Amino acid sequence: MTKAFEALSFPCGKAMANRMGLAPLTNTQSEADGRLSKDEIHWLAMRAKGGFGLTMTAAAHVNVLGQGFPGQLGIFSDEHLPGLTTLAEKIKAQGSLAVVQLHHAGFRAPRELIGDMPVAPSPSEKFGARGLSHGEVQSLIEDFIRGAERAKKAGFDGIEIHGAHNYIICQFLSAEFNRRTDEYGGSLKNRSKVLFDIISGIRKRCGQDFLIGVRLSPERHGIPLSEAVETAKALFAAQEIDFLDISAWNVFKEPAETAFQGRSLLSYFCELDRGEIRLGAAGKVYSPEDIYYCFDQGLDFALLGRAAMLHHNYPNLLRDNASFMPKRTPVSREHLLAEGLSEQFLEYISSMWPDFISA
């Protein structure tokens, strides 16, 4: 428990007051044009007030063609700045680090939502996507950098680049979906060039004191564990980011690939020399014991998702009571509404996890 409430500093100079962060959670509460709604600001500000050391937004798309789902937060226009500025102020007023997750859905952008053919590193008949031209890849990199600049202008402490879950950066990393023959395809180094160019561009234009994180999928989505580890190694060696976030889906699992089983999936990343870069993870981190397990594995911090939905003040409850145990699902709609989730958010939850809300 003591480690959970130790401060955690990052290379950029920013620090978390404790080692529990709010995971970036899809909630579909933004307006149709990507502007933050009062409901979404309320939901996030409550988590900051509840004691989370880092409060991260849901995925914010950096290009109108990169929208992945209805009600998604946008950061592709200066019209989004007023709401983002209000949110950053409310999060930081509670002593929590304010972070925006930058995102582009790639071929996972529904055509009926974006009104156009989705884009991808290479053409995909399966996903009905066209391949990006060389110039469009460079424009994609610029979109992420400008998204980070908007986040900084709005007052956020930093950003996380969404490189997981088979969204566009993950698609570039995957040899299954990236069949390009230019400098953005072929070897893993080339396939990861988009990610590293985005990082370097953000660092150059947002400064050394701006928090930069990256979220990676450690397996699945056309990503072999060996290549995920190599990408993590390269990120640690470059020393341009502040933290790496492993989206494990389940922090307790072993790798899916038989050859790597016999030890935890997380162990392959925790054993790497990361210098001063911090390492966190998300995936079924629920009870205090789950958080302590993450530390025992060698993580610097843990990201909470569903547990944070159930208790906006999870860190404060744990701080005040070492025996605190979170509620178990299903829970009532009334409980979730009292915890700052809107009716729109509850509708999304019901569609994704039918057993989350009691009848």
Side-chain angles (χ1 to χ4, degrees), residues 210-232:
F210 192 66
L211 185 74
I212 300 176
V214 171
R215 169 166 269 206
L216 290 180
S217 287
E219 56 182 4
R220 301 170 58 206
H221 310 303
I223 305 292
L225 175 57
S226 59
E227 290 199 349
V229 170
E230 285 304 310
T231 300

Side-chain angles (χ1 to χ4, degrees), residues 45-52 89-97:
M46 276 188 74
R47 271 67 206 164
K49 186 176 182 180
F52 283 94
E89 289 173 350
K90 287 181 177 291
I91 292 173
K92 293 167 69 174
Q94 301 298 331
S96 181
L97 289 181

Side-chain angles (χ1 to χ4, degrees), residues 57-70:
T57 70
H61 54 304
V62 298
N63 183 290
V64 68
L65 294 182
Q67 185 174 0
F69 48 88

Side-chain angles (χ1 to χ4, degrees), residues 19 59 77 176 292 336:
R19 302 193 178 214
S77 168
E176 178 180 347
Y292 308 152
L336 293 172

Side-chain angles (χ1 to χ4, degrees), residues 27-41:
N27 57 79
T28 68
Q29 294 182 110
S30 290
E31 306 293 352
D33 61 2
R35 289 179 297 116
L36 276 162
S37 68
K38 292 181 179 178
D39 286 338
E40 191 163 10
I41 292 172

